[in-house]
Amino acid sequence: RFSLLLLNLEEYYFEQHTANHIINKGCRDERKFRGSLKICSKSIIFEPDDSIQPIIKIPLRDCISIKAPEDNEANNPFTRDTSGGISVVCNQVFLIKERNIIAPYKTIRGRTEHLFQLDVAGKLGDVVQTLHQLYRASCLDKMGDQAAMITAILQSRLARTSFDKNRFQSISETLHMECKAEMVTPLVTNPGHVCVTDANLYFQPLNGYPKPVVQITLQNVRRIYKRRHGLMPLGLEVFCTENDLCSDIYLKFYNCQDRDELYFLIATYIENHVTEHTAESYMLQWQRGHISNYQYLLHLNNLADRSCNDLSQYPVFPWIIADYSSSVLDLTKPETFRDLSKPIGALNKERLDRLLTRYQEMPEPKFMYGSHYSSPGYVLFYLVRVAPEYMLCLQNGKFDHADRMFNSLAETWKNCLDGATDFKELIPEFYESDSSFLVNSLKLDLGKRQGGKMVEDVELPPWASGPDDFLQKSQEALESQYVSEHLHEWIDIIFGYKQKGSEAVAAHNVFHPLTYEGGVDLNSIMDPNEKVALLTQILEFGQTPKQLFTIPHPRRIIPKLKSLSRASSHSVSITESPVSPNEESFEDLTEESITLAWNNIAKLKSDERYKIHKEAITGIAVTCNGSSVFTTSQDSTLKMFSKESKTIQRSVSFSNMALSSCLILPGDTTVISSSWDNHIYFYSIAFGRQQDTLMGHDDAVSKICWRDGRLYSASWDSTVKVWHCVPGETLSSKKHHFELLAELEHDVSVNAIDLNAANTILASGTKEGTISVWDVTTATVLHQTECLNMGVCCWLFCLLFSFFTDSRHLLSAGEDCCFKVIDVQTGMLISSVTAGEPQRCFKWDGNTILSGSQSGELLIWDLLGGKVIERIKGHTGAVMSMWMNEQCNSVITGGEDKEIMFWKLQY
């Protein structure tokens, strides 16, 4: 029945001894109860073996005397008598769990004596000496002095002990590190020794509670996070699962060096087994629909130092539903939902106006809200029915007043809207499957409300038939289309750019300065009493999550139902709103064939290869019927290769300078080639001759694109130019007419360009690694992203929009050997995957990448997993160019080895 929750906050449990508790010794009604005597830093606790009897807790500060045998100092209140045990006289005692019922502690005031007889009499002297030390600490006036003395006693005990190596799982294990630490669970910490070997992580509690050793197999570790604990960077949390809310162990160290060394050891071990996820990589998965809204919020909470083991930093989830009165919950109506663009405190305009008036009149440091949206009290407000002992621990053995309990969803929501000091959000349990926190299944006596009604189960809204149905509908609401379209706004407030600074003020999202990371430097506070008081205030008030994003969070990509089948192969776990009857509900055959091709892209096999150039091949274009393949090369030639006859049918040289790329205009009548001689050449397929020349740049033309009668050309002269081309007549008596529509200026050479599906946005990449996103209609820059690796600029080789995600994402590859995904709407770099070597060209579908490497291999990447799925042997030199047909089942590559290779999918 004993648990660490019976201790006070910031109290330690040191040791236990089997003993008898003797009542009325020497009298006719003498009674003896066998049990366990617990020595704690601020109290003595006796747990009887008989569960009918109450646990006795004696605060050391309330002790009058502590006596033991063989000491005749008559004038010392701590003299020893000849009773054969420890006599404790006190003026206050708490009785806990009488008849094994969880209830508020019963307080016995007045002078009482308790005699404890230890089984091992030889330990009596040491126990009494320990109690005297702890009693002196509890009698100190100032909390800081008490804490300092107890810490000294604890550290002395830890220094006298070490990890028991006999607890290793195998005698062959190699020790890597041992240090002192505390295991953290909600509201309490337990000191002991941490040990890391080549196979396991161990924690041995100093007191042997709740078990002698906690062991984590390193091979099972999936995630590891550094944590702030008590506002200090001393925590470490280890997960052996990918998506669970609760971790396997949370440790708090006594210095940063130990924490960081242990993190390094575990991270080094698991780096080859587990992909480390960042907020950006989870964002990419969420945007694509590969993880649900719930899972994404859970991952963000983890990354922002929120933990189920720390109630002052418990995971925070949003109120979603605003309708608690209707008989039917309509998830198609926007008014059913809470406005996710505002914090709770800003949802009621009248209340907000009052708060803003006070804010304007307030001296610095100003804050709008006097309480937080997440605190230990709020967490236990929701969970009291399943975690009553936590509430009793937090509130000194008492439940809250019955009228302030979590009685009704409608009442709680109303109070969050109207209450002068109530701004709380929700916790993850509201969107999970365990409804026990809504039901008083423990039959707790939580008090009687003013109307005479006992506090029982939580009153649910009319639209919920029961607790399970309530959670089911809450989950559906969280995963609904409305929330998917607006959740990024709430993320901006809680984890993002509206969390701090001027954006927070504009969003009415300003809390007390002490709640923010870095709001106070505890190391700079020399007075221990001030430090303890400040820390207690902050931990009870609640803390703002670590800021994860400093620019607006991208929106989620909401697909129609027809596009979900593409993602189904990646284990989608979300439920999208069904499409309306007038929308297309099934993919057409082309989309199905593309999906099939990309799902089997690892089965790509080399078909044929031909050496057709004298230098590296830089561009590939294929006619619509696939019969003719045009290639450009650094040998300055444009060649036409026939697939049927397997011969070169034409070879054209426009100048003695290298050609950099080529494309075929619609209708298969004209090939356009770009050259390092600053020109763009138009070649007539029908007449077999150069038809026109566009002298449009002052340096080499690196890349060209053609869309809807417009030519887009990138050049080393630091520009991208947009041309309107009116074709000449086929008899070539008239030349093409070129009209310059726009000139997009850059600071340095431009090497790569691509356009989105709507031809409204152009992306360009430079030799310094800068990616610019342009609005083509206005010729203005929307975003610029510096794709730097370790601070070094990188030449960008390739840049492509993903048409499979409505061109929302842009993928780049460059000299830094990294694939980088950028959200086009915000310019945010949302994923970076290290490739190990430069990838010179690629194709992708938004999830999987087919890339040509510097070494000549074709690599297939799982972008979300950040790993290579397949390596396919290809060219003997770098793969310089790649073409893929519309069905994505046929590929042609050109290499530094002067060869073209034909590839086909072998289903």
Side-chain angles (χ1 to χ4, degrees):
R1 290 185 298 157
F2 171 80
S3 86
L4 296 179
L5 293 169
L6 300 184
L7 278 58
N8 293 351
L9 296 177
E10 304 298 318
E11 184 176 9
Y12 296 109
Y13 164 38
F14 285 140
E15 60 192 56
Q16 72 162 353
H17 303 275
T18 305
N20 291 314
H21 180 210
I22 303 173
I23 299 175
N24 300 325
K25 182 173 176 62
C27 302
R28 292 178 58 187
D29 59 345
E30 176 180 323
R31 288 186 295 165
K32 185 183 291 187
F33 298 101
R34 188 157 183 77
S36 173
L37 184 68
K38 322 280 187 183
I39 308 301
C40 306
S41 59
K42 297 179 182 179
S43 61
I44 303 168
I45 296 176
F46 182 77
E47 178 190 15
D49 291 344
D50 183 358
S51 61
I52 299 297
Q53 298 300 317
I55 294 173
I56 297 170
K57 178 177 178 179
I58 306 171
L60 286 169
R61 67 174 185 274
D62 294 324
C63 288
I64 298 171
S65 68
I66 299 173
K67 297 188 294 183
E70 301 171 3
D71 191 346
N72 298 315
E73 292 181 47
N75 297 324
N76 187 337
F78 296 97
T79 55
R80 306 167 190 244
D81 63 18
T82 57
S83 64
I86 303 171
S87 170
V88 179
V89 180
C90 58
N91 54 31
Q92 183 169 251
V93 169
F94 297 107
L95 304 183
I96 305 169
K97 289 189 179 178
E98 192 169 5
R99 293 201 245 328
N100 208 23
I101 296 172
I102 299 171
Y105 302 170
K106 184 178 179 181
T107 307
I108 305 297
R109 292 186 175 87
R111 184 185 177 100
T112 55
E113 182 177 5
H114 302 267
L115 182 64
F116 302 101
Q117 206 166 39
L118 303 186
D119 273 16
V120 182
K123 293 185 178 180
L124 199 62
D126 290 339
V127 172
V128 171
Q129 184 180 5
T130 298
L131 289 173
H132 286 179
Q133 272 188 316
L134 296 170
Y135 172 80
R136 286 196 295 273
S138 68
C139 290
L140 295 172
D141 293 334
K142 296 181 177 179
M143 293 296 295
D145 296 337
Q146 286 185 30
M149 186 170 178
I150 290 171
T151 298
I153 295 170
L154 170 63
Q155 291 300 324
S156 173
R157 282 172 165 261
L158 287 170
R160 295 197 303 268
T161 58
S162 62
F163 185 88
D164 180 5
K165 308 301 188 297
N166 292 320
R167 296 287 181 179
F168 282 179
Q169 291 287 300
S170 167
I171 57 173
S172 62
E173 284 185 63
T174 303
L175 176 67
H176 286 324
M177 177 189 178
E178 180 181 349
C179 66
K180 299 175 288 185
E182 296 177 12
M183 189 167 81
V184 179
T185 52
L187 298 181
V188 290
T189 61
N190 202 13
H193 296 276
V194 169
C195 196
V196 184
T197 69
D198 55 348
N200 294 290
L201 166 67
Y202 297 96
F203 176 76
Q204 185 171 32
L206 188 64
N207 50 33
Y209 179 87
K211 56 184 179 180
V213 168
V214 177
Q215 178 241 332
I216 304 288
T217 304
L218 294 181
Q219 197 169 356
N220 295 336
V221 174
R222 288 293 169 269
R223 293 177 289 147
I224 179 170
Y225 298 99
K226 293 181 180 180
R227 296 289 191 220
R228 274 183 307 159
H229 187 272
L231 300 188
M232 301 288 285
L234 300 173
L236 189 72
E237 192 162 21
V238 178
F239 291 78
C240 291
T241 55
E242 188 57 48
N243 293 309
D244 278 6
L245 182 63
C246 298
S247 64
D248 291 80
I249 193 167
Y250 186 142
L251 297 170
K252 171 202 168 187
F253 297 81
Y254 295 111
N255 59 69
C256 294
Q257 291 75 20
D258 285 346
R259 193 276 302 268
D260 292 345
E261 184 178 349
L262 189 77
Y263 178 89
F264 175 78
L265 287 171
I266 298 178
T268 302
Y269 180 89
I270 68 173
E271 67 179 354
N272 295 324
H273 304 83
V274 181
T275 302
E276 183 179 358
H277 287 295
T278 61
E280 289 75 20
S281 67
Y282 283 125
M283 180 202 298
L284 181 64
Q285 294 184 57
W286 172 74
Q287 275 196 291
R288 301 284 176 78
H290 291 269
I291 58 175
S292 64
N293 291 338
Y294 169 83
Q295 290 171 320
Y296 186 45
L297 290 177
L298 206 59
H299 289 310
L300 292 185
N301 272 285
N302 263 322
L303 292 167
D305 277 345
R306 312 303 284 188
S307 167
C308 290
N309 285 307
D310 185 351
L311 295 188
S312 68
Q313 298 188 92
Y314 201 79
V316 56
F317 270 60
W319 282 95
I320 293 295
I321 299 168
D323 178 4
Y324 294 94
S325 58
S326 299
S327 57
V328 177
L329 186 67
D330 188 349
L331 297 181
T332 65
K333 290 163 50 179
E335 52 268 30
T336 297
F337 300 93
R338 163 260 183 103
D339 184 347
L340 289 165
S341 67
K342 297 176 181 178
I344 290 290
L347 293 177
N348 182 331
K349 188 177 185 307
E350 290 182 11
R351 179 178 64 175
L352 179 62
D353 289 341
R354 293 194 298 271
L355 292 169
L356 290 178
T357 300
R358 189 189 68 172
Y359 173 76
Q360 300 299 336
E361 297 170 351
M362 189 182 292
E364 295 290 346
K366 295 182 174 187
F367 54 90
M368 294 176 186
Y369 308 114
S371 64
H372 207 257
Y373 50 77
S374 176
S375 70
Y378 287 161
V379 173
L380 296 179
F381 167 85
Y382 292 125
L383 297 180
V384 64
R385 289 168 177 81
V386 289
E389 291 177 273
Y390 292 88
M391 174 74 85
L392 294 173
C393 176
L394 185 68
Q395 301 200 150
N396 300 313
K398 299 174 185 175
F399 290 131
D400 205 348
H401 189 279
D403 286 303
R404 290 196 296 270
M405 285 283 191
F406 180 32
N407 292 303
S408 156
L409 261 303
E411 283 182 19
T412 304
W413 171 244
K414 186 177 185 303
N415 205 49
C416 288
L417 288 181
D418 302 335
T421 59
D422 193 349
F423 314 107
K424 60 178 170 284
E425 292 278 9
L426 295 183
I427 55 176
E429 283 77 358
F430 279 84
Y431 303 103
E432 295 177 349
S433 55
D434 184 359
S435 62
S436 58
F437 74 101
L438 300 169
V439 182
N440 187 13
S441 56
L442 297 176
K443 304 302 178 186
L444 301 168
D445 183 357
L446 298 173
K448 188 180 291 186
R449 304 187 67 182
Q450 284 185 349
K453 185 179 180 181
M454 295 297 293
V455 175
E456 291 293 346
D457 299 346
V458 177
E459 185 180 325
L460 302 174
W463 46 258
S465 61
D468 290 340
D469 185 55
F470 170 78
L471 291 191
Q472 176 65 33
K473 287 185 168 68
S474 296
Q475 291 169 24
E476 291 171 3
L478 180 62
E479 306 302 338
S480 67
Q481 181 161 335
Y482 178 89
V483 174
S484 292
E485 289 172 349
H486 294 277
L487 188 59
H488 65 284
E489 298 171 335
W490 186 81
I491 293 171
D492 283 336
I493 291 169
I494 304 300
F495 303 105
Y497 81 111
K498 292 183 179 179
Q499 188 196 87
K500 296 178 181 177
S502 59
E503 293 288 353
V505 175
H508 306 130
N509 192 37
V510 182
F511 293 86
H512 195 286
L514 292 180
T515 68
Y516 294 94
E517 183 179 27
V520 61
D521 180 8
L522 286 179
N523 290 324
S524 67
I525 301 174
M526 295 296 106
D527 185 341
N529 300 299
E530 183 185 347
K531 183 181 292 188
V532 169
L534 191 62
L535 184 58
T536 302
Q537 176 187 350
I538 293 167
L539 297 184
E540 290 181 359
F541 190 89
Q543 297 175 66
T544 300
K546 179 192 293 183
Q547 188 175 27
L548 300 178
F549 309 107
T550 55
I551 61 175
H553 190 287
R555 296 181 59 174
R556 194 174 200 186
I557 299 168
I558 308 296
K560 292 185 175 69
L561 190 61
K562 66 169 191 172
S563 62
L564 282 179
S565 63
R566 173 150 216 352
S568 63
S569 63
H570 298 266
S571 303
V572 170
S573 54
I574 62 172
T575 304
E576 292 290 354
S577 301
V579 294
S580 57
N582 61 343
E583 288 183 298
E584 187 177 2
S585 300
F586 301 97
E587 293 185 14
D588 59 27
L589 292 175
T590 302
E591 287 182 89
E592 287 182 0
S593 66
I594 291 172
T595 300
L596 182 65
W598 276 104
N599 286 344
N600 290 277
I601 200 73
K603 298 176 182 176
L604 203 64
K605 303 293 181 185
S606 173
D607 189 24
E608 298 169 320
R609 61 194 303 163
Y610 303 96
K611 187 171 182 179
I612 61 173
H613 280 281
K614 296 179 181 179
E615 297 292 342
I617 296 169
T618 57
I620 302 171
V622 181
T623 54
C624 288
N625 60 13
S627 62
S628 298
V629 179
F630 288 87
T631 56
T632 52
S633 168
Q634 290 180 3
D635 65 8
S636 80
T637 63
L638 168 71
K639 293 186 186 287
M640 176 179 166
F641 180 84
S642 170
K643 279 197 70 178
E644 292 177 7
S645 64
K646 300 178 175 43
T647 59
I648 298 172
Q649 294 190 329
R650 298 182 193 176
S651 181
V652 184
S653 183
F654 302 112
S655 73
N656 60 357
M657 299 285 282
L659 298 179
S660 56
S661 66
C662 63
L663 57 86
I664 300 178
L665 294 187
D668 289 351
T669 58
T670 305
V671 179
I672 309 179
S673 302
S674 56
S675 173
W676 284 7
D677 68 2
N678 313 351
H679 298 164
I680 299 169
Y681 296 98
F682 290 71
Y683 175 79
S684 171
I685 298 174
F687 291 90
R689 61 187 175 203
Q690 180 179 331
Q691 190 176 357
D692 216 335
T693 303
L694 172 60
M695 296 177 282
H697 289 276
D698 299 322
D699 204 337
V701 182
S702 53
K703 180 74 175 176
I704 52 175
C705 292
W706 178 277
R707 297 285 176 81
D708 290 344
R710 292 186 177 184
L711 177 67
Y712 302 82
S713 58
S715 170
W716 294 354
D717 66 6
S718 308
T719 67
V720 173
K721 293 183 179 180
V722 184
W723 309 87
H724 178 59
C725 295
V726 180
E729 294 181 4
T730 54
L731 295 175
S732 74
S733 57
K734 292 185 179 179
K735 300 285 187 181
H736 283 68
H737 173 69
F738 303 107
E739 178 187 355
L740 181 62
L741 300 178
E743 185 170 336
L744 312 180
E745 294 281 355
H746 298 69
D747 294 330
V748 291
S749 301
V750 184
N751 200 48
I753 56 170
D754 194 32
L755 282 102
N756 68 343
N759 304 326
T760 56
I761 295 175
L762 179 142
S764 58
T766 70
K767 73 171 187 179
E768 289 188 347
T770 301
I771 294 176
S772 301
V773 178
W774 301 79
D775 181 338
V776 176
T777 57
T778 60
T780 56
V781 174
L782 299 176
H783 309 289
Q784 277 194 330
T785 304
E786 301 291 334
C787 288
L788 305 178
N789 190 36
M790 304 297 289
V792 179
C793 297
C794 69
W795 187 288
L796 281 170
F797 295 131
C798 192
L799 197 64
L800 286 178
F801 284 93
S802 171
F803 291 166
F804 297 92
T805 57
D806 297 328
S807 300
R808 280 283 300 278
H809 291 150
L810 186 66
L811 181 66
S812 69
E815 268 183 332
D816 63 349
C817 306
C818 286
F819 286 115
K820 293 186 169 73
V821 181
I822 293 170
D823 181 82
V824 176
Q825 288 190 343
T826 63
M828 182 183 285
L829 179 64
I830 59 175
S831 182
S832 181
V833 176
T834 302
E837 64 174 322
Q839 305 297 305
R840 302 297 299 251
C841 54
F842 62 82
K843 300 293 180 183
W844 73 313
D845 72 335
N847 303 309
T848 306
I849 307 170
L850 171 66
S851 68
S853 69
Q854 185 75 30
S855 61
E857 290 181 309
L858 293 193
L859 303 182
I860 296 160
W861 297 80
D862 172 10
L863 181 59
L864 300 178
K867 59 186 178 183
V868 176
I869 301 171
E870 192 73 38
R871 292 178 178 270
I872 306 171
K873 286 187 177 180
H875 295 267
T876 56
V879 185
M880 302 292 288
S881 56
M882 182 182 294
W883 172 90
M884 177 182 275
N885 69 342
E886 188 179 342
Q887 288 75 32
C888 305
N889 58 13
S890 177
V891 173
I892 304 174
T893 55
E896 207 170 34
D897 56 5
K898 309 154 194 175
E899 291 187 333
I900 56 170
M901 294 184 67
F902 292 84
W903 306 81
K904 282 188 177 180
L905 279 182
Q906 306 286 332
Y907 293 121

